[in-house]
Amino acid sequence: MILYCLYAVFIILAASYGLGQHASSLTPSQSATAIRLELIGQTFCVLSIASIKLAMFKLQTMLFGRNLTKRIYHGIALALVILVVFFSVFVAVFDFLRCFPVSSVWNPKIPAVCWMSARHYTDIAIWLSVLSAIADLAFAILPALIIAKVKIPRRSQKLFLRALILFGGCSTATCGALRAWSLTGLSVRNDYTYATIDLNIWSAIESLISICAYILPLTAGPLYEVLSKFITGTTTPGPAQPISYQLNDMPKHSPNTFVREEDNESQHRILGENFINGNEDLEKQSASGAWDIIANITFSKSMGFLDRMEDVDNTIKDANRSLDYFATIGQIPWADPWLAKNTFFSRWLSSFKLANRLIVRSVDERIASSDDQDLMGTKDMLHGLITQQKKGKLERHQLYSWLQINMFAGADTTASTLTAGFYHVLKNRRIYCTLMAALGDANLDLPIQYDDVKDIPYFEAVILEILCIHPAVGMLLERVVPPAGFTLSNGVFLPGGVYVGINPWVINMNKEIFGPDVESFCPDRWLKMEEETQEDFRLRLKAMKQTMLTFGGGNRVCLGKPMALVELNKIIATIFLTYELELEEPNAWRIHNSWFIRSFGLNVKIRRRA
């Protein structure tokens, strides 16, 4: 596209100096300038055609692979691309090198010594156009034949894709043939500005159609849906929708359901042995620990982040890139079918290779195991979901999908909350000392048990304040108003079909509910005040808990809330009891809203306690 735009710019400039007119009507200076600009433009045009062929070859190789037709197609296409690129570079460069001095190429009145005549150069250019047209036909016909053997859900979609490829390739080949016919004008150097009019017209059309032919297959899916809706007036039938269940259909789990004694030992090892003395970016450590622990709870396996002290397979980096995409496309959802749902562009989006491999391998091993009593007796998340599948309440594809959601949503959110908790506690020395005194008075043993810490009043207040001041989700979780509309308690009527949502970062800052100091980290707000009666405190605490929207609310409250509370309680208590922490640069910490809240710059000094 860039080369094509440069071609257009130089042709427009050449036209301003007389391109399209007979040389006899121009001054020698105008004619020479117009030809020089036109030659530069044609160089970019030839290179753009070659680059489009390369791009088309790369795209179709990615889409169809090398082995679909026993590499015959790949060999033919590769040979044609090599020939087109070779002759394109030759034609682009040697028009300026075939004569000396070079200026004689665009000014025929200058005496010159040429090792290749204009006639011979024209013949090479014609052969290049013929090869280009043959390559276009190959890129149209051969893929259309391959698509016939590819499994595409709807026959109409397959026909539509084949039609797009055939139309684009055949149209480009036709323009290439017409361009070859018009190339005879290259040898008419005495009237070059007029003799090459047809050449420039067909060159522009061929390049433009080539670009369209490259883009059309990438947009086949969204384009098919739009055209189908326009022609029939209805949307095309989509894939089968997942079965949805009410909350009361799901198995009831207390926060401890998925936390076994083995998990306690494993999590303590993760949080204990693998943290080292010295200066650490606690944000990275929290993210690594969160991914390892969620994998342990889900599959009874670790992903190896803290064991290897690295971002394995760029999983965390992929998660951050995905969140950036979700945050943007969530505001313009109409662009998603053209990007993430597009076969070509989706290859550049996050793949979560490590997590997906772990999910597939764990499910296959667990289901295929002949010793049901051994593996199925493992009380992890996978066990619970497989149990539901055996009861017929869960399809196999839902099993994979829910495990993915558990992994991807359960790690980043926990890491975000952990990081914020460490920052706010360490930033305020009084809060830190009060928390350590409360944990010390509880006489806790390691590994920490959730039931032992969840009822420590000040510790519970710290956890609630962390969740309140730093919700992991920083954007709206939208809902659609029912068709009949809905009237709020204050009398405001919401029309049906309207998207509504509340940002937890806004509702959690309600001063009427949480107090005038709501923007400050103050765990004391969750404790009974001296002048407050027990009943007043109960009502105030109930109002704050009901208003806080960190986990959502109502029937759509976050299903991972119990598990998240277990992790937060156990991890925070374990870290503070195991290490002495000191915040190095309080002002270095910053946050970034990318649907989930990410933070940076939590550098602390870590020393193991005696």
Side-chain angles (χ1 to χ4, degrees):
M1 179 62 79
I2 294 174
L3 292 170
Y4 177 75
C5 291
L6 289 172
Y7 162 67
V9 167
F10 278 97
I11 292 300
I12 292 171
L13 290 174
S16 67
Y17 282 93
L19 177 62
Q21 303 179 44
H22 286 289
S24 58
S25 62
L26 303 174
T27 66
S29 175
Q30 287 177 324
S31 177
T33 302
I35 294 174
R36 183 172 72 252
L37 292 171
E38 181 186 3
L39 289 174
I40 295 173
Q42 288 175 349
T43 299
F44 286 120
C45 177
V46 171
L47 293 177
S48 74
I49 292 174
S51 64
I52 291 170
K53 298 297 182 292
L54 276 172
M56 185 63 77
F57 172 74
K58 177 63 175 176
L59 170 66
Q60 293 188 357
T61 300
M62 289 167 58
L63 293 180
F64 305 123
R66 296 186 179 187
N67 301 316
L68 288 177
T69 56
K70 296 180 180 179
R71 300 188 179 180
I72 294 176
Y73 161 68
H74 185 269
I76 294 173
L78 180 60
L80 287 172
V81 166
I82 291 174
L83 287 172
V84 169
V85 171
F86 173 78
F87 280 106
S88 295
V89 174
F90 182 89
V91 169
V93 173
F94 280 87
D95 197 18
F96 295 95
L97 302 179
R98 62 184 181 82
C99 293
F100 182 83
V102 176
S103 57
S104 64
V105 174
W106 55 79
N107 189 350
K109 294 184 178 181
I110 297 177
V113 176
C114 298
W115 61 274
M116 178 184 290
S117 67
R119 179 69 260 175
H120 289 153
Y121 175 80
T122 301
D123 291 340
I124 294 174
I126 291 173
W127 277 109
L128 169 61
S129 289
V130 171
L131 274 173
S132 179
I134 294 173
D136 290 326
L137 284 174
F139 286 134
I141 296 173
L142 293 177
L145 295 175
I146 292 174
I147 290 174
K149 302 179 181 180
V150 176
K151 291 183 179 180
I152 296 180
R154 281 168 269 174
R155 182 172 179 270
S156 56
Q157 285 182 330
K158 182 181 292 189
L159 292 174
F160 183 70
L161 181 58
R162 293 174 71 184
L164 279 180
I165 293 177
L166 283 169
F167 171 76
C170 293
S171 299
T172 307
T174 301
C175 291
L178 292 171
R179 181 173 175 272
W181 169 76
S182 65
L183 277 167
T184 54
L186 287 176
S187 59
V188 187
R189 294 288 166 158
N190 290 327
D191 199 13
Y192 194 85
T193 54
Y194 182 79
T196 55
I197 293 177
D198 291 340
L199 169 62
N200 287 309
I201 291 174
W202 288 114
S203 295
I205 295 174
E206 180 188 4
S207 297
L208 185 58
I209 293 181
S210 294
I211 293 172
C212 293
Y214 174 72
I215 294 174
L216 281 176
L218 304 181
T219 60
L223 188 60
Y224 175 83
E225 300 296 332
V226 171
L227 291 177
S228 297
K229 183 176 180 180
F230 176 77
I231 294 171
T232 64
T234 59
T235 56
T236 56
Q241 294 298 314
I243 302 171
S244 61
Y245 301 102
Q246 297 296 324
L247 287 180
N248 54 13
D249 291 332
M250 297 304 297
K252 301 297 186 293
H253 296 296
S254 70
N256 279 328
T257 298
F258 301 118
V259 182
R260 305 157 296 143
E261 284 303 315
E262 304 95 291
D263 293 328
N264 288 325
E265 295 292 344
S266 175
Q267 291 170 22
H268 179 56
R269 183 187 61 80
I270 289 173
L271 298 173
E273 295 176 3
N274 294 315
F275 274 82
I276 59 175
N277 294 343
N279 301 332
E280 294 292 343
D281 184 342
L282 203 52
E283 187 273 331
K284 293 181 180 178
Q285 296 288 75
S286 297
S288 298
W291 277 95
D292 274 346
I293 289 174
I294 195 67
N296 186 270
I297 293 173
T298 306
F299 307 112
S300 302
K301 297 179 181 179
S302 170
M303 297 180 74
F305 288 97
L306 287 176
D307 285 335
R308 295 167 57 176
M309 299 301 291
E310 65 180 43
D311 182 5
V312 184
D313 279 355
N314 291 320
T315 301
I316 298 175
K317 181 180 179 181
D318 277 353
N320 292 338
R321 288 175 55 201
S322 294
L323 291 174
D324 292 335
Y325 178 84
F326 296 155
T328 303
I329 298 302
Q331 314 310 308
I332 47 172
W334 53 264
D336 189 47
W338 304 83
L339 297 173
K341 303 300 188 295
N342 183 294
T343 304
F344 179 73
F345 287 109
S346 62
R347 294 174 180 271
W348 278 268
L349 297 178
S350 302
S351 60
F352 295 107
K353 294 180 292 184
L354 177 65
N356 283 321
R357 284 201 304 266
L358 181 61
I359 290 170
V360 173
R361 185 172 67 249
S362 299
V363 171
D364 291 346
E365 288 177 356
R366 192 73 61 89
I367 291 178
S369 174
S370 59
D371 190 355
D372 250 8
Q373 188 62 36
D374 180 26
L375 283 180
M376 293 301 294
T378 304
K379 298 291 186 179
D380 53 19
M381 180 69 74
L382 179 56
H383 161 75
L385 293 177
I386 289 179
T387 301
Q388 295 302 308
Q389 185 195 15
K390 287 191 170 185
K391 293 179 180 179
K393 292 186 175 183
L394 206 62
E395 301 293 336
R396 183 68 172 266
H397 70 274
Q398 289 177 295
L399 178 62
Y400 289 115
S401 177
W402 289 7
L403 288 171
Q404 285 180 322
I405 292 173
N406 193 58
M407 291 291 294
F408 303 150
D412 291 319
T413 50
T414 302
S416 173
T417 307
L418 284 173
T419 305
F422 290 132
Y423 169 75
H424 286 292
V425 171
L426 294 175
K427 186 179 180 182
N428 190 308
R429 191 66 184 174
R430 181 190 66 81
I431 293 175
Y432 174 72
C433 292
T434 305
L435 175 62
M436 293 308 303
L439 292 173
D441 292 342
N443 294 317
L444 300 169
D445 294 323
L446 296 175
I448 295 293
Q449 304 296 319
Y450 174 67
D451 288 336
D452 294 339
V453 295
K454 67 183 181 65
D455 294 326
I456 300 175
Y458 194 78
F459 183 76
E460 182 187 14
V462 169
I463 296 295
L464 288 170
E465 184 68 359
I466 293 170
L467 293 170
C468 183
I469 202 170
H470 188 96
V473 177
M475 303 182 78
L476 302 185
L477 296 175
E478 295 176 340
R479 303 290 184 265
V480 183
V481 178
F486 185 81
T487 302
L488 300 177
S489 58
N490 61 359
V492 175
F493 177 76
L494 300 176
V498 172
Y499 289 84
V500 296
I502 301 175
N503 192 318
W505 280 74
V506 176
I507 196 67
N508 288 8
M509 294 290 112
N510 189 326
K511 294 183 178 180
E512 295 181 3
I513 301 296
F514 297 98
D517 59 344
V518 68
E519 295 183 9
S520 301
F521 186 78
C522 180
D524 292 336
R525 81 176 80 251
W526 300 92
L527 301 174
K528 181 180 176 298
M529 295 182 289
E530 290 184 4
E531 69 278 8
E532 193 175 32
T533 66
Q534 191 64 37
E535 179 63 16
D536 288 343
F537 170 62
R538 186 186 67 81
L539 294 175
R540 182 173 64 85
L541 184 63
K542 179 181 178 181
M544 289 193 296
K545 287 184 176 181
Q546 288 181 338
T547 302
M548 186 168 63
L549 208 62
T550 300
F551 290 103
N555 287 336
R556 299 301 178 186
V557 68
C558 175
L559 292 176
K561 178 179 178 180
M563 187 166 61
L565 291 175
V566 171
E567 288 188 75
L568 292 174
N569 279 267
K570 288 166 62 66
I571 293 174
I572 291 176
T574 299
I575 293 299
F576 280 123
L577 286 174
T578 307
Y579 300 97
E580 295 180 6
L581 306 176
E582 181 182 346
L583 195 61
E584 281 202 310
E585 301 176 71
N587 297 325
W589 193 69
R590 62 192 189 280
I591 61 175
H592 172 68
N593 186 356
S594 184
W595 200 52
F596 290 168
I597 303 297
R598 297 206 301 271
S599 60
F600 310 90
L602 183 59
N603 298 313
V604 299
K605 291 181 179 179
I606 302 178
R607 294 180 298 276
R608 184 178 293 275
R609 294 184 181 275

